[in-house]
Amino acid sequence: MVVCMGVPINLSRLGPIYNDAMEHNRGTIAFEVPFQNGLFVFMMFFEQKTEAGENSKDILFLYLRRSKQLLERKLYGSHKNGVFNIYTDDDIDKAVRDELEIQGGGRQPFDLRKFFQEINNAIPDHIDFGHFRKTLRENFPVVNRKYKIVDDAEKTHLIGPRLLPPDKHPREQTLRKLYIFIEADKDTVGKFISILKQKNVTLAWSSKEKPGVTIETLMRDL
């Protein structure tokens, strides 16, 4: 038996993390929430289009890391105002049970709504940049196999800037690789991305390393 299936649940504590990502021009959210004996990885990727044509800043990718299951759910509501409504179903119920190793037939029915309320309360107000980058690096391949949240994932070495025509803009799928493959602090990466977008410049990447190329040297050149 499942309690409260199909009733929207507001994951409201995503609000501060979402607003911080938008404020700092970071097209990515990634963090982990350990809960009981499960590990739940929350990921959102802005600009990426799903197969249904929806912008994935409205799609929550929830990776259940222990049981290796990826859930994708539309988030409804005004995110900037703290509304992140999710609808549950039998698939989510089964996946969460598997992750938590909950067997059926107990005295108390599994309350999926209560679970999401508790997991929402466990979402932190702020994500440390090191934690964000580690979580993204470890888990982005799970989503990337289907949705390509980064371009050419096998190309991990930064080559240099490429000026775009006026009708084109740098893609988050390319800029996001800075968080995954480049060692630099949060402020440096954020400033570099802002310069790239301001100047309408994207980045070229290669499978072979080009010595001497760093974010700092490229920023000076730009």
Side-chain angles (χ1 to χ4, degrees), residues 12-31:
S12 58
R13 287 180 62 87
L14 285 173
I17 298 171
Y18 174 87
N19 290 331
D20 181 70
M22 297 298 287
E23 180 181 351
H24 292 90
N25 208 17
R26 186 172 64 246
T28 311
I29 289 173
F31 64 94

Side-chain angles (χ1 to χ4, degrees), residues 9 11 111-122:
I9 302 165
L11 299 178
D111 191 334
L112 191 60
R113 183 178 182 84
K114 181 181 178 181
F115 162 78
F116 273 107
Q117 290 171 339
E118 291 176 341
I119 204 83
N120 180 56
N121 291 336

Side-chain angles (χ1 to χ4, degrees), residues 31-104:
F31 64 94
E32 296 176 340
V33 176
F35 184 81
Q36 296 180 9
N37 59 337
L39 182 57
F40 299 84
V41 182
F42 289 73
M43 293 179 282
M44 296 176 71
F45 305 100
F46 310 161
E47 190 185 83
Q48 171 66 29
K49 298 294 184 178
T50 68
E51 290 179 348
E54 297 172 333
N55 193 309
S56 72
K57 81 176 178 181
D58 296 323
I59 300 295
L60 172 67
F61 296 95
L62 186 59
Y63 183 47
L64 285 56
R65 190 160 177 174
R66 189 194 62 78
S67 55
K68 296 181 171 57
Q69 301 177 83
L70 180 65
L71 305 176
E72 308 161 34
R73 283 300 181 273
K74 171 84 173 176
L75 290 168
Y76 296 88
S78 173
H79 301 340
K80 67 179 181 179
N81 292 322
V83 182
F84 297 82
N85 283 336
I86 184 174
Y87 286 84
T88 61
D89 58 22
D90 288 324
D91 291 338
I92 292 182
D93 173 69
K94 182 180 184 305
V96 171
R97 284 173 179 264
D98 290 343
E99 179 70 11
L100 299 178
E101 296 183 314
I102 295 175
Q103 306 298 324

Side-chain angles (χ1 to χ4, degrees), residues 140 144 148 150-157 177 181 205-208:
F140 89 91
N144 202 58
K148 301 300 179 186
V150 299
D151 292 326
D152 301 320
E154 73 283 357
K155 296 181 179 180
T156 63
H157 299 288
K177 295 173 73 169
F181 302 122
W205 297 79
S206 174
S207 57
K208 297 181 180 180

